[in-house]
């Protein structure tokens, strides 16, 4: 059974930093592209970033480019999202998702990030 | 990276069919057969319902079907049931090698 478990969310002040983690199990981690997708309270889904299986291809959404950094450690079956210069509009539940071809077949339960003074 | 356009809400009675549209551009929906649809119940993670425009993953009811014409994709739910009441999002791969989601549609079963 595929499992994706996010952690690292919490309350942070504007301008602060936070590092999210996603620990995976139930599939060959090193073979898949992984992504972060977020959802602000009461709002829709927003694609944030993706990283290919060997980290050779990395992409970001315009709203986080230059502030967020995605990375992975295939030896630890883990995905990360380093978030810097956080803004109030970054407040959201952040989901880790496994990409299968061009679809997101598996999702974690999400971790809440709140940016507030 | 503008969000794909979906109607804010769609409703129907049990047993009826409803269709949700998802309009993008030639750089996303119209350019690739990589449109997917997700169902999300309150407080839950999204669930993949349709992949690659019209493919149904194992375990998804055959009451759900997808199609695409030009820059607009559609999700049809036939034989509407109470459990189908949820938010639905489309998503497409884009020419920038990113993904974009739709604005979301709340489905209400009357």
């Amino acid at each position: 059974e595929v499992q994706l478990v996010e952690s690292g969310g919490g309350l942070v002040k504007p301008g602060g930093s936070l590092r999210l983690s996603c620990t995976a199990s139930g599939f060959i981690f090193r073979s898949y592209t992984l992504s972060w997708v977020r959802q602000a309270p009461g709002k829709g889904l927003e694609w944030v970033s993706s990283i290919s299986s060997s980290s050779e291809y990395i992409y970001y959404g315009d709203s986080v480019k230059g502030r967020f950094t995605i990375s992975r450690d295939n030896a630890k079956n883990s995905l990360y999202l380093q978030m810097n210069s956080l803004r109030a509009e970054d407040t959201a539940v952040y989901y880790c998702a496994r990409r299968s071809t061009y679809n997101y077949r598996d999702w974690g339960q999400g971790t809440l990030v709140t940016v507030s003074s | 990276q503008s969000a794909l356009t979906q109607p804010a809400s769609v409703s129907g009675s049990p047993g009826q069919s409803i269709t949700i549209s998802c309009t993008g551009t030639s750089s996303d929906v119209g350019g690739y057969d990589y449109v997917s649809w997700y169902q999300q119940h309150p407080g839950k993670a999204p669930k993949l319902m349709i992949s690659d425009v019209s493919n149904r993953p194992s375990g998804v009811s055959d009451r759900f079907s997808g199609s695409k014409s030009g820059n607009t994709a559609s999700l049809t739910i036939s034989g509407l049931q109470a459990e189908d009441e949820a938010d639905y999002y489309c998503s497409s791969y884009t020419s920038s090698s990113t993904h974009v989601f739709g604005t979301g549609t709340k489905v209400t079963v009357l």
Side-chain angles (χ1 to χ4, degrees), chain A residues 4 27 31-35 47 50-52 59 96-107, chain B residues 34 38 93 97-99:
Chain A
L4 299 165
F27 65 98
S31 296
Y32 288 87
T33 290
L34 297 167
S35 297
W47 182 88
S50 70
I51 184 168
S52 61
Y59 302 98
C96 162
R98 179 178 75 141
R99 207 180 87 178
S100 179
T101 59
Y102 294 94
N103 310 283
Y104 292 103
R105 197 168 297 269
D106 301 288
W107 298 68
Chain B
Y34 297 139
Y38 302 87
Y93 185 69
S97 301
T98 62
H99 274 78

Side-chain angles (χ1 to χ4, degrees), chain A residues 45 97-107, chain B residues 34-41 44-61 64 75 87-92 99 101:
Chain A
L45 300 173
R98 179 178 75 141
R99 207 180 87 178
S100 179
T101 59
Y102 294 94
N103 310 283
Y104 292 103
R105 197 168 297 269
D106 301 288
W107 298 68
Chain B
Y34 297 139
V35 176
S36 47
W37 289 90
Y38 302 87
Q39 177 192 64
Q40 187 180 36
H41 287 107
K44 301 294 188 182
K47 175 187 177 183
L48 178 66
M49 304 302 284
I50 295 289
S51 64
D52 301 330
V53 176
S54 60
N55 293 330
R56 225 176 11 256
S58 173
V60 173
S61 170
F64 291 84
L75 173 72
D87 294 325
Y88 291 82
Y89 295 91
C90 61
S91 177
S92 175
H99 274 78
F101 283 92

Side-chain angles (χ1 to χ4, degrees), chain B residues 3-27:
Chain B
L4 307 175
T5 300
Q6 298 180 230
S9 62
V10 173
S11 62
S13 299
Q16 285 187 330
S17 293
I18 61 169
T19 296
I20 303 168
S21 61
C22 169
T23 301
T25 69
S26 58
S27 295

